[in-house]
Amino acid sequence: MKQLNEKVAIVTGAGQGIGKGIAMCLAKRGVKVVCTGRREAPIQQTVAEIEELGGQGLAMTCDSADRARVEEVVKAAVDTFGSIDVIVNNGQAIVPSAPVEDTTYENMLAAWQSGTIGSLNYMQAAFPYMKEQHEGRIINFASATGMFGIAGQLAYGSNKEALRGLTKIAAKEWGQYGICANVVLPGAESPAAKAWAEKFPEEYQKQVMLNPMHRFGDPEDDIAPVVAFLAGPDSCYYSGQSVIVDGANSIMP
């Protein structure tokens, strides 16, 4: 079984926020990281920072809904670094909030293509390589928005719950090949959270104080180390689970 520093990972949405935090955290632990995103400049910046630390990275633009491009990314990871061991499906399009009756087909499609369908594309593209080496890690990202049914978030939340279903079924089917699949539900200081804080500072501060730790998680220091555990050898019997990383914020009173 490979140690973490012997592995190759693809991290989607690696140009900012949680994705960038994961990419940096894994790289600091010796993982070779393929950073993907729809915009080139941010992922190139992430790779530049990885290389400044002495790590190895590769930046590739990709819309995860584009199956042919996903196949190219996975092949490039194998051709460049020799294998593909970890898929971190973090990237996700954010669509406008709306009540159920006003949610548009276009927004539903955008959420599902970038989330559930995009994650499935990466999983299926990496599967033959992981099956052959009898080892692999799939780490998908869901949200309390879907788990707890946050009003106004049908497109995003239903997609995230579908991702949890996808992950559990993959864990059941692929466990025989040494592939573990898990879900992380983060509570982090993402770019979207920062934008919300700037627009609604009083509401933001109120939500911060409702968190038992009186802060939101840092992408690299709080969320990414959990991903590193799920990507490493110590999680070889941990599969099909949803891991909430939010400082106990989601525990209901």
Side-chain angles (χ1 to χ4, degrees), residues 89 92 111-112 115-117 119-120 123 138-150 155-173 180-186 238-245 250:
N89 282 312
Q92 172 73 55
W112 281 65
T116 302
I117 300 302
S119 298
L120 177 61
M123 291 166 65
I138 305 295
I139 303 164
N140 292 330
F141 270 71
S143 171
T145 300
M147 177 178 280
F148 298 112
I150 305 301
Y156 180 80
S158 63
N159 157 66
K160 288 301 188 182
E161 280 299 274
L163 262 168
R164 292 209 304 138
L166 164 64
T167 306
K168 288 185 284 187
I169 292 169
K172 285 273 192 175
E173 294 185 4
C180 298
N182 291 289
V183 180
V184 174
L185 294 83
Y238 190 83
S239 192
Q241 304 304 311
S242 295
V243 187
I244 302 176
V245 190
S250 59

Side-chain angles (χ1 to χ4, degrees), residues 81-240:
F81 298 125
S83 69
I84 178 62
D85 306 290
V86 182
I87 297 290
V88 181
N89 282 312
N90 160 78
Q92 172 73 55
I94 303 299
V95 299
S97 301
V100 172
E101 64 271 21
D102 294 329
T103 298
T104 66
Y105 172 80
E106 289 75 18
N107 283 343
M108 286 291 287
L109 189 62
W112 281 65
Q113 284 185 328
S114 64
T116 302
I117 300 302
S119 298
L120 177 61
N121 282 340
Y122 271 105
M123 291 166 65
Q124 289 179 331
F127 174 69
Y129 301 99
M130 293 181 174
K131 179 182 177 182
E132 182 177 2
Q133 68 188 16
H134 203 80
E135 183 178 352
R137 299 288 187 274
I138 305 295
I139 303 164
N140 292 330
F141 270 71
S143 171
T145 300
M147 177 178 280
F148 298 112
I150 305 301
Q153 300 293 329
L154 173 63
Y156 180 80
S158 63
N159 157 66
K160 288 301 188 182
E161 280 299 274
L163 262 168
R164 292 209 304 138
L166 164 64
T167 306
K168 288 185 284 187
I169 292 169
K172 285 273 192 175
E173 294 185 4
W174 292 357
Q176 62 185 310
Y177 306 119
I179 300 171
C180 298
N182 291 289
V183 180
V184 174
L185 294 83
E189 190 82 353
S190 65
K194 290 179 180 178
W196 177 55
E198 291 179 3
K199 191 173 182 179
F200 304 104
E202 292 184 3
E203 181 63 24
Y204 171 81
Q205 190 58 36
K206 178 182 177 182
Q207 292 301 316
V208 168
M209 295 310 295
L210 287 173
N211 186 297
M213 295 189 179
H214 294 171
R215 66 182 181 87
F216 290 143
D218 180 83
E220 184 175 345
D221 295 336
D222 295 319
I223 309 301
V226 177
V227 175
F229 162 72
L230 295 174
D234 292 336
S235 64
C236 65
Y237 198 61
Y238 190 83
S239 192

